[in-house]
Amino acid sequence: MVDKSIQLRIIQLTSDLHAHNYRYYVENNPQVSDFEFDMLLKELQELEQKFPELALENSPTKRVGGDITKKFEVFKHKYPMLSLSNTYSAEEICEWEERIQKSIGRQINYVCELKYDGVAIGLRYENGNLIRAVTRGDGEKGEDVTANVRTIKSVPLALNGNYPLDFEIRGEIFLPKSKFEELNKERELQGEILFANPRNTAAGTLKLQDSRIVAERNLSSFLYGVYGVSGLFDGHFESVQHAGQWGFQVPKTMNNYIALVDNIEDVLKFISYWDQHRYSLPFDIDGVVIKVNEFAIQEELGFTAKFPRWAIAYKFKAQQVETIVESIDFQVGRTGAITPVANLIPVFLGGTTIKRASLHNADQIKKLGLRIGDTVRVEKGGEIIPKIIGVVTEKRNASAPLFSFIKKCPQCQTVLVRNEGEAQHYCPNEKTCPPQVKGKIEHFISRRAMNIDGVGVETIDALLKNGLIASVADLYSLQRADLMALDRMAEKSVENILQAIEDSKAVPFERVLFALGIRHVGETVAKKLVKYFSSIDELAVATFDELIAVDEVGEKIAYSILQFFETEEHIKLIASLKSANLHFFSTHKQNISNILAGKIIVISGTFQSFSRDELKELIEINGGKNGSTVTKKTDFIIAGENMGPSKLKQAKELNIQLLSENDFIKFISQT
Ligand code: IVH
């Protein structure tokens, strides 16, 4: 028998930690220090480890993550998750209000809310415990992302006060701007690709399989709709404010995140206030949502096929400003790609000062007809890098010459090339063009590639400067003494670097392939290639047709791979990496049959018993190939529910057989 006092202590700690979490993450008003909090958490963790049977279902220790979701289960929403009709015009908001007023004919109150720019989520609570979190999906069915949502500190795992016993609450999961910036800074240091904006990052994070990483990302939430509580409240405003008392982060009138108003003028004031002040918020919004407050009136108004008639979203236009292009720089990437970047007279836009804007490529400059000194309109959308939308030609100095794209690499003076059908110019001197040499090494050692930890940008600079390396292959012949001779290099760091280089020899083929930095071959494509070609030697002799048969490999990628293996330098590089014992073959499962040999099979729709990846694997280990598009070469299609309409149309036109997942399994099981 376990001591009753232990059980009581676990209950006490659980409840105290929930309360501290709420004060810290929702009220922004912590009452204990971080240290005290950590001590309480540690005590609970230790007790739960010793007495796992006593741990409460929604223990705050689960916030640190750890659960792995291999496949997100599809879950049907109890109430469909609709979206909102939206407009960019204040006039249309007034018309919407007039329509409602006319059809109802009595006093109407409106709730004005922020339109959070994140990912919609539905949270189900039973007996005060979070039991399920489901994404919006197609509105009818979403994905069960509970393990990940549990790690979000402002989502209560257990509720306080007088909450309904069984209800759903909906809201938005988002990444605060400051957390987004921290995350990207960290990624930059690690040499990883930067996230484009907080919304995409939040969406991607919610779908990560490892909830521990989700926990580190610091997602947050705002809740905006209580469902399944009929009769408890008269209106939306009241229901949301009550949800605040149960422990949810809900908008407060105090900071004007929400307002209950009784006339259209106040609605318009709310809109205009946030149009001007949105950039001072700690999170992104893309508009304002206006909802009829009273539930009875909401019910009277009802829904169209897609939207509620009782709510509308006013979306903000992306802000634009004018500024002047002072000069154009050309950046050289690790693959030699040249990116023109405009240097602008600094202007304040969307909460930040903008000094530069990407011009993408020569075609873009031509399209804009850009000249140095031109006044341009710059827009900041959801992305970090602002866009040049157009030139204000009326303000142009007529004598300014048209800007012409550079002919030579700004770093090594080699004549640039542009492949047919591609928009980008390239510097072909990958062997000695400094940013390419350095960029390739940085990419090679980055975490997702060879993961050679401890070698920072400065070390690479020093190694290059001292002639100790000229390409990635030289990393594997570095000696202790070479590294010790570098400035500010301690013995311990040298040990770590040599160990990391040694460890990298165990990195699997798909990551080695990615690390080689073949133009257009990112992580995903490298993985796909390794499934089709079990060694670098097989890949090196692959034909164009064989390459484009690979899922996700199009013409551009296929040409780039062919070109890579035509270059003698690359063949030499691979030979020396091979002699350093890097993995250049896959340790793939042996085929279990060849029943699908020579067959190209397309998968479409959603399935009951298998995920798409599992079906792909079944195709491959039975000797077949998985094609992404339906063509006349497709042998058959494994068709699930809601098969894509264009695939279905093509299948009919080309008379291609559709097999259900069960038929497919029967087919591959025959011997
Ligand atoms: S109410 C039936 N309120 O906008 C109405 N939605 O286009 C349900 N959103 O998918 C939505 N802030 O992800 C509502 N204060 C807010 C919102 C909000 C953001 C998102 C939500 C929804 C989309 C609607």
Side-chain angles (χ1 to χ4, degrees):
M1 250 292 274
V2 182
D3 190 341
K4 195 91 195 139
S5 66
I6 294 175
Q7 193 162 16
L8 287 176
R9 181 68 187 149
I10 288 183
I11 295 171
Q12 182 70 51
L13 283 166
T14 304
S15 130
D16 287 356
L17 284 161
H18 278 315
H20 289 315
N21 246 327
Y22 176 75
R23 283 192 207 108
Y24 188 95
Y25 288 101
V26 179
E27 289 191 328
N28 228 337
N29 180 24
Q31 298 198 334
V32 290
S33 67
D34 287 0
F35 178 75
E36 282 169 275
F37 182 90
D38 290 344
M39 287 300 106
L40 295 175
L41 189 66
K42 196 162 161 241
E43 186 186 342
L44 181 60
Q45 268 164 337
E46 283 169 3
L47 285 175
E48 287 181 351
Q49 222 161 27
K50 265 200 204 147
F51 308 100
E53 69 282 9
L54 298 183
L56 297 179
E57 194 188 340
N58 271 323
S59 164
T61 57
K62 297 199 175 142
R63 295 242 191 239
V64 291
D67 290 346
I68 302 283
T69 312
K70 276 244 168 72
K71 184 179 144 210
F72 295 104
E73 295 300 330
V74 172
F75 198 88
K76 191 167 184 314
H77 295 296
K78 187 160 178 188
Y79 319 94
M81 252 173 131
L82 301 179
S83 62
L84 295 166
S85 68
N86 59 54
T87 172
Y88 287 89
S89 121
E91 224 177 3
E92 283 184 22
I93 295 283
C94 296
E95 286 166 14
W96 169 79
E97 198 268 342
E98 269 168 36
R99 260 197 320 272
I100 292 185
Q101 197 68 55
K102 232 190 211 158
S103 90
I104 297 298
R106 58 182 196 274
Q107 164 65 39
I108 298 180
N109 296 325
Y110 299 98
V111 184
C112 308
E113 290 176 5
L114 302 178
K115 188 168 187 314
Y116 313 102
D117 198 7
V119 187
I121 195 83
L123 308 172
R124 179 113 220 134
Y125 284 82
E126 281 175 18
N127 301 316
N129 284 316
L130 171 67
I131 62 149
R132 199 176 306 105
V134 183
T135 61
R136 177 165 181 268
D138 62 4
E140 289 291 325
K141 292 187 223 115
E143 284 177 307
D144 183 335
V145 288
T146 315
N148 288 345
V149 169
R150 275 186 202 287
T151 68
I152 304 173
K153 315 283 194 312
S154 59
V155 171
L157 300 178
L159 304 181
N160 299 319
N162 201 9
Y163 48 79
L165 291 181
D166 185 355
F167 72 103
E168 180 166 340
I169 186 159
R170 289 182 179 171
E172 201 88 349
I173 306 281
F174 60 89
L175 187 65
K177 287 182 202 166
S178 60
K179 304 293 175 198
F180 170 74
E181 275 152 26
E182 277 168 25
L183 183 61
N184 259 354
K185 250 186 219 146
E186 170 72 12
R187 289 177 78 85
E188 202 171 0
L189 278 178
Q190 299 283 351
E192 290 174 308
I193 299 162
L194 300 191
F195 288 122
N197 58 47
R199 185 198 343 102
N200 293 359
T201 318
T205 303
L206 262 195
K207 295 289 197 62
L208 288 173
Q209 291 188 332
D210 186 349
S211 61
R212 220 180 303 247
I213 308 177
V214 183
E216 287 167 7
R217 293 265 173 96
N218 292 303
L219 293 171
S220 191
S221 63
F222 263 117
L223 283 308
Y224 52 63
V226 188
Y227 291 74
V229 289
S230 77
L232 269 188
F233 308 105
D234 290 337
H236 171 66
F237 184 79
E238 190 191 346
S239 72
V240 169
Q241 296 307 301
H242 264 86
Q245 294 166 17
W246 307 330
F248 295 100
Q249 176 152 269
V250 295
K252 300 257 165 65
T253 45
M254 198 170 61
N255 38 23
N256 203 28
Y257 285 6
I258 187 166
L260 178 63
V261 302
D262 60 6
N263 62 77
I264 187 72
E265 288 73 30
D266 285 346
V267 167
L268 297 176
K269 266 190 209 151
F270 188 87
I271 291 177
S272 127
Y273 178 84
W274 283 113
D275 200 358
Q276 284 166 44
H277 292 88
R278 62 181 148 142
Y279 295 110
S280 58
L281 282 167
F283 47 85
D284 278 341
I285 60 171
D286 60 344
V288 157
V289 182
I290 321 295
K291 298 173 181 171
V292 167
N293 184 42
E294 277 89 342
F295 286 142
I297 305 183
Q298 285 190 4
E299 221 162 283
E300 249 182 278
L301 290 164
F303 298 85
T304 68
K306 282 208 251 155
F307 311 121
R309 287 201 188 85
W310 44 263
I312 190 164
Y314 175 88
K315 300 249 282 185
F316 297 135
K317 289 181 205 81
Q319 270 200 344
Q320 291 189 356
V321 280
E322 284 183 10
T323 183
I324 290 173
V325 175
E326 291 194 304
S327 61
I328 295 176
D329 283 344
F330 291 87
Q331 291 174 347
V332 186
R334 73 170 159 84
T335 61
I338 308 287
T339 309
V341 177
N343 293 309
L344 310 167
I345 292 188
V347 270
F348 196 69
L349 172 71
T352 47
T353 302
I354 289 169
K355 299 187 193 112
R356 287 151 76 79
S358 169
L359 285 162
H360 304 291
N361 52 48
D363 290 348
Q364 178 70 7
I365 296 180
K366 207 167 151 195
K367 206 168 111 198
L368 290 166
L370 198 65
R371 291 149 210 228
I372 303 290
D374 265 351
T375 300
V376 288
R377 279 196 319 280
V378 181
E379 178 179 293
K380 199 169 173 209
E383 316 301 310
I384 336 173
I385 303 167
K387 275 187 280 199
I388 293 185
I389 297 302
V391 176
V392 187
T393 41
E394 309 85 71
K395 296 193 182 170
R396 170 174 284 162
N397 171 359
S399 63
L402 203 66
F403 184 80
S404 56
F405 207 82
I406 49 167
K407 304 260 178 312
K408 287 185 178 168
C409 173
Q411 297 281 337
C412 71
Q413 313 312 319
T414 305
V415 174
L416 300 181
V417 293
R418 183 176 172 180
N419 294 336
E420 219 184 281
E422 286 198 22
Q424 211 88 28
H425 281 74
Y426 287 96
C427 165
N429 174 20
E430 53 175 313
K431 207 171 161 208
T432 62
C433 178
Q436 290 193 61
V437 173
K438 199 172 145 203
K440 281 191 171 60
I441 299 173
E442 279 173 7
H443 170 73
F444 185 83
I445 65 173
S446 67
R447 206 164 73 181
R448 289 177 177 277
M450 303 305 284
N451 191 22
I452 302 182
D453 225 8
V455 184
V457 180
E458 282 169 27
T459 315
I460 297 175
D461 275 341
L463 289 169
L464 285 167
K465 215 169 83 199
N466 289 289
L468 290 168
I469 58 171
S471 83
V472 294
D474 300 331
L475 288 168
Y476 293 92
S477 39
L478 279 177
Q479 301 296 317
R480 239 179 133 264
D482 297 335
L483 289 163
M484 284 305 291
L486 297 178
D487 274 355
R488 291 195 299 269
M489 191 58 94
E491 203 156 322
K492 184 78 193 135
S493 321
V494 171
E495 292 298 318
N496 290 345
I497 292 175
L498 289 173
Q499 190 57 50
I501 293 176
E502 192 54 36
D503 292 347
S504 76
K505 294 179 183 170
V507 163
F509 178 34
E510 61 194 42
R511 276 171 51 197
V512 178
L513 186 57
F514 168 59
L516 289 178
I518 304 174
R519 195 175 288 160
H520 309 310
V521 176
E523 265 181 294
T524 316
V525 171
K527 272 189 198 147
K528 304 271 172 190
L529 287 168
V530 166
K531 284 204 167 167
Y532 283 75
F533 305 100
S534 56
S535 69
I536 195 94
D537 299 334
E538 259 186 49
L539 178 65
V541 294
T543 63
F544 179 78
D545 285 345
E546 282 169 338
L547 288 168
I548 55 165
V550 177
D551 194 18
E552 305 225 6
V553 174
E555 288 186 8
K556 194 166 88 171
I557 301 178
Y559 279 125
S560 164
I561 297 171
L562 288 175
Q563 237 176 21
F564 182 87
F565 288 107
E566 271 164 19
T567 313
E568 208 190 313
E569 278 309 317
H570 296 150
I571 304 298
K572 280 192 194 153
L573 173 76
I574 291 167
S576 39
L577 291 175
K578 268 186 186 171
S579 51
N581 284 329
L582 264 57
H583 284 310
F584 278 107
F585 52 87
S586 67
T587 43
H588 246 194
K589 303 168 202 78
Q590 289 260 300
N591 279 8
I592 56 168
S593 91
N594 267 327
I595 194 160
L596 301 176
K599 296 211 182 320
I600 299 180
I601 298 147
V602 170
I603 305 171
S604 181
T606 51
F607 300 89
Q608 297 287 329
S609 319
F610 297 95
S611 70
R612 292 168 75 98
D613 281 341
E614 285 165 345
L615 287 172
K616 260 184 211 169
E617 184 149 354
L618 283 172
I619 294 174
E620 282 155 13
I621 60 174
N622 283 287
K625 287 196 176 176
N626 172 222
S628 51
T629 49
V630 178
T631 68
K632 56 179 188 299
K633 286 195 183 156
T634 307
D635 288 281
F636 60 84
I637 300 172
I638 310 178
E641 257 182 73
N642 302 322
M643 181 178 168
S646 66
K647 285 206 173 95
L648 192 58
K649 188 167 160 249
Q650 251 162 331
K652 274 192 188 144
E653 279 169 12
L654 298 168
N655 204 11
I656 294 171
Q657 193 188 359
L658 305 185
L659 288 188
S660 69
E661 58 188 314
N662 288 340
D663 290 343
F664 172 66
I665 299 303
K666 270 189 215 148
F667 184 79
I668 56 172
S669 317
Q670 51 185 302
T671 42

